[in-house]
Amino acid sequence: MELADHKTLKILVIGSDPLSRIGIKNILYRLGDVLVSEASPIEVNNIKEDFWDLIIFIISPSRKNDVDLLEKVKKIRPNSPIMIFDMYNEWNEIQAVMNGAKAYLNKMATYTEILESAKMLLSGKMYMTESMAEQIAVALSSSNISSDSNKFRDKEIQLLKFMAIGNSNKQIAEQLDISLQYVSYLKS
């Protein structure tokens, strides 16, 4: 899979555990021509100085404000896709995506899954595990989410369906005939 034409891809790995950052970083070098940098959560302010093709955010149980930190990263780099890598099963897949991630992997992810999800995000797509697709399918087929439910409007239900099949924000906006900003709003 060709990721970019003669361009070094820039990937940032954010996490409080240096061993986790180094491990993910070493796997990502298998993608080819990549520059992988790492940052601790307190260094997040420094990321605004560079463009990142992909940001990998490692969830830590010792940090109670990971959601706030993720929000900060999204504001600083709104166009960089974010992958959540959860070493401690603190989040679930739906929570990660609804907080702006384009992919969610936990500590059970294989080497191949890490590389495949990174490739998909770098090519502008969303990565969804079978488990996540099943969760969304169950949610969409349950009585909790229906077109007559007060909890979800029709656009939100359609958004979930398009997310489940891996459409990008741009594709969702085009298919729903809404703005990219509104897609982002619905996902938040």
Side-chain angles (χ1 to χ4, degrees):
M1 172 183 221
E2 189 65 31
L3 294 176
D5 297 323
H6 307 92
K7 175 187 165 196
T8 299
L9 297 168
K10 292 178 70 176
I11 301 173
L12 178 65
V13 180
I14 301 171
S16 56
D17 177 25
L19 288 177
S20 296
R21 291 193 316 253
I22 291 168
I24 296 292
K25 189 175 167 179
N26 286 334
I27 291 171
L28 294 171
Y29 281 125
R30 301 285 182 158
L31 291 172
D33 190 13
V34 295
L35 171 65
V36 185
S37 299
E38 57 181 287
S40 71
I42 47 181
E43 298 170 312
V44 163
N45 288 332
N46 299 336
I47 72 170
K48 61 181 147 189
E49 298 168 6
D50 276 321
F51 172 81
W52 301 98
D53 295 295
L54 173 62
I55 297 172
I56 298 177
F57 188 76
I58 302 172
I59 299 297
S60 170
S62 62
R63 294 193 51 81
K64 299 296 180 204
N65 60 347
D66 277 336
V67 173
D68 295 336
L69 188 60
L70 179 59
E71 278 296 318
K72 187 174 190 176
V73 170
K74 285 186 340 188
K75 283 181 183 166
I76 294 170
R77 288 277 142 233
N79 296 322
S80 296
I82 297 172
M83 175 194 303
I84 298 291
F85 194 83
D86 189 350
M87 294 293 293
Y88 306 97
N89 296 326
E90 292 289 309
W91 288 23
N92 66 51
E93 295 168 322
I94 302 293
Q95 179 185 13
V97 170
M98 296 312 280
N99 277 290
K102 299 281 187 198
Y104 171 91
L105 295 172
N106 66 22
K107 65 183 176 186
M108 301 305 289
T110 65
Y111 176 91
T112 305
E113 285 176 307
I114 294 168
L115 290 175
E116 186 61 31
S117 62
K119 287 177 185 178
M120 288 186 76
L121 269 62
L122 288 164
S123 66
K125 297 178 182 170
M126 182 177 201
Y127 179 80
M128 191 173 298
T129 63
E130 277 186 49
S131 167
M132 182 177 198
E134 287 174 17
Q135 286 179 42
I136 291 174
V138 166
L140 290 173
S141 66
S142 75
S143 61
N144 293 336
I145 299 177
S146 65
S147 59
D148 55 45
S149 171
N150 290 332
K151 293 181 181 178
F152 291 93
R153 296 187 313 260
D154 288 339
K155 292 281 187 207
E156 292 166 324
I157 293 169
Q158 290 174 323
L159 173 85
L160 285 173
K161 289 178 182 177
F162 288 129
M163 285 172 53
I165 59 173
N167 287 357
S168 69
N169 282 3
K170 183 178 179 184
Q171 291 170 319
I172 292 170
E174 289 170 358
Q175 291 173 345
L176 295 178
D177 195 29
I178 58 178
S179 72
L180 277 172
Q181 292 82 10
Y182 191 55
V183 171
S184 296
Y185 167 77
L186 287 174
K187 288 173 90 173
S188 63

